Amino acid sequence: MNKIKENAQKLLDYLNDSPTPFHATDNAAKQLAAAGFKELCERDPWDIAPGGKYFLRKNSSSFAAFIMGTADMAAHGIRAIAAHTDSPVFVIKPNPQMVEKGHIKLNTSPYGGVIMHTWFDRPLALAGRVLLKSDCFLVPTEKLININKPLMVIPSLAIHLNREVNNGVKINAQSDTLPFAALVNEELEKDDYLVNLLVNELGCTSDDILDFDIALYEYQKGQFVGLNEEFISSARLDDLWMVHAGLDAIVNAKPSTYTKLLYCPDNEEIGSLTPHGAQSTFLKTLIERIVPHGAFGQVMANSYFISADLGHAINPNNPQKDDPTNKTILGGGLVLKYSAMQKYATNGYTGSIFTALCQKAGVPVQKYITRSDVMGGGTIGAIMGANLGVNVVDMGLAVMGMHAIRELGATIDNEYVLKAFGTFFDN
């Protein structure tokens, strides 16, 4: 296996092992601890040393890791990479069991901008966290679960019963996307299907379970695709690809004069307005705790943040959907993302710095902006820029099928982003 394929396989391993933000954060914490990073707790006082390596978690679904600079932080600032841990999915509602026409279904809600039809007719598994009773009601015991089995499916309606299906059909998120879990029998009808699964998985009793945050995910693993395996087909490329690349960069970075930071919040796909999302005080409070007293503004003025979130590759089946002069392709390198409405934080100044970084790293860079008659999405870049007063650039890698159950990227692009992020932290 060549180095490019080997590095891309590490990405696939991370994606496959991280079906939820909780697992993505937990797997990141294991990598950071193995690399000598010390875990901090928000509740405790921090003893931060120059050159020290630290990380912390919030809500078990967001995390940040940093390597303190060895020189005056006010003068040397922070270099940061930010990416989000969540992806569009279907989450399980409270009291989810439904029995109808001899079938047991689970009640779900779409989370984020799900392309719902891509979830049909695929074996689905369950993962998330379960909260259990503890000695202190204010601190429940938390357990991660990953029931990695083909447990359920959302079946399509046959074309014979819906002759217009190939002309476009409106999908009702409440009635059309509920996964079928089992055929009814006497035992299942009187029991709680999901609770029984959790009890068997955790070895607890049903009375121990206080609550849960659980979602569906595709049972089929991510994999290489293409004649020469030049594509990566996987769930959660948006945005765990960038989380993985940021992890690789900071785990392999060495202390230097400036502080290095990886920031990975949850809930970007639903607007970031949570205590552990990008619109929270999580990042600002962290920075305030590590900068010298009274030096926050000076540190931010000498800092540069990369908001890393995936972009759209041109789809050869629908090339008219892209801007006529700015077209990004799979395998074309890193994507600088622009928006005249500042949905993305890139401007001429921050974009020029990133272009120079890519030149130094020896990787190609391409530019993305939506058609003028299309309103694009946003990222956490503009949020960080506004909350911190820091220079931010929005970038990513090009993918097709963003927000589908499986997204498509280019294997070589993984190598490009690893080189760029490595160069950013170590030059």
Side-chain angles (χ1 to χ4, degrees), residues 120-251:
F120 284 65
D121 306 311
R122 296 172 183 263
L124 302 172
L126 288 174
R129 69 172 174 181
V130 181
L131 291 309
L132 306 173
K133 290 180 180 177
S134 69
D135 294 336
C136 176
F137 75 92
L138 290 172
V139 187
T141 298
E142 184 174 317
K143 297 287 187 181
L144 296 189
I145 62 158
N146 180 9
I147 308 179
N148 187 26
K149 300 175 183 177
L151 292 170
M152 54 196 71
V153 67
I154 304 170
S156 296
L157 189 63
I159 194 170
H160 314 79
L161 305 177
N162 185 7
R163 292 292 184 181
E164 295 300 309
V165 65
N166 291 324
N167 295 324
V169 172
K170 184 175 177 60
I171 298 172
N172 185 289
Q174 179 58 65
S175 59
D176 296 333
T177 61
L178 305 183
F180 290 17
L183 294 173
V184 170
N185 59 42
E186 184 176 339
E187 181 181 354
L188 280 175
E189 191 164 12
K190 68 182 180 181
D191 290 338
D192 189 312
Y193 171 85
L194 180 61
V195 169
N196 285 344
L197 277 176
L198 300 181
V199 165
N200 291 334
E201 187 73 13
L202 297 172
C204 63
T205 69
S206 59
D207 289 338
D208 291 329
I209 298 174
L210 296 171
D211 213 331
F212 56 76
D213 296 299
I214 298 175
L216 305 176
Y217 73 93
E218 187 190 24
Y219 174 69
Q220 178 67 40
K221 293 182 180 297
Q223 62 192 71
F224 295 109
V225 174
L227 186 62
N228 300 303
E229 298 188 324
E230 59 263 68
F231 301 119
I232 297 171
S233 172
S234 179
R236 300 177 295 281
L237 283 174
D238 178 20
D239 191 31
L240 292 189
W241 195 349
M242 298 296 91
V243 173
H244 174 266
L247 267 173
D248 181 86
I250 202 159
V251 161

Side-chain angles (χ1 to χ4, degrees), residues 165 306 360 397 413:
V165 65
I306 294 174
K360 187 174 184 64
L397 294 175
D413 282 338

Side-chain angles (χ1 to χ4, degrees), residues 278-358:
Q279 292 204 57
S280 74
T281 59
F282 179 34
L283 178 59
K284 187 174 183 180
T285 301
L286 183 160
I287 294 172
E288 287 174 340
R289 293 183 72 167
I290 66 175
V291 302
H293 180 69
F296 182 88
Q298 188 178 354
V299 170
M300 290 296 96
N302 284 311
S303 299
Y304 184 80
F305 280 41
I306 294 174
S307 170
D309 202 350
L310 299 189
H312 303 288
I314 187 170
N315 186 323
N317 291 336
N318 296 275
Q320 74 282 1
K321 295 293 186 179
D322 286 81
D323 182 74
T325 63
N326 294 279
K327 302 179 187 297
T328 53
I329 62 171
L330 297 182
L334 279 66
V335 176
L336 261 177
K337 300 161 71 174
Y338 292 83
S339 167
M341 303 297 289
Q342 287 296 285
K343 294 285 188 177
Y344 302 131
T346 308
N347 57 39
Y349 182 78
T350 61
S352 67
I353 292 173
F354 190 79
T355 299
L357 167 65
C358 290

Side-chain angles (χ1 to χ4, degrees), residues 40-57:
L40 303 172
C41 177
E42 286 185 301
R43 297 187 180 98
D44 300 333
W46 293 355
D47 183 15
I48 304 298
K53 302 194 292 186
Y54 309 94
F55 76 97
L56 71 157
R57 292 180 257 193

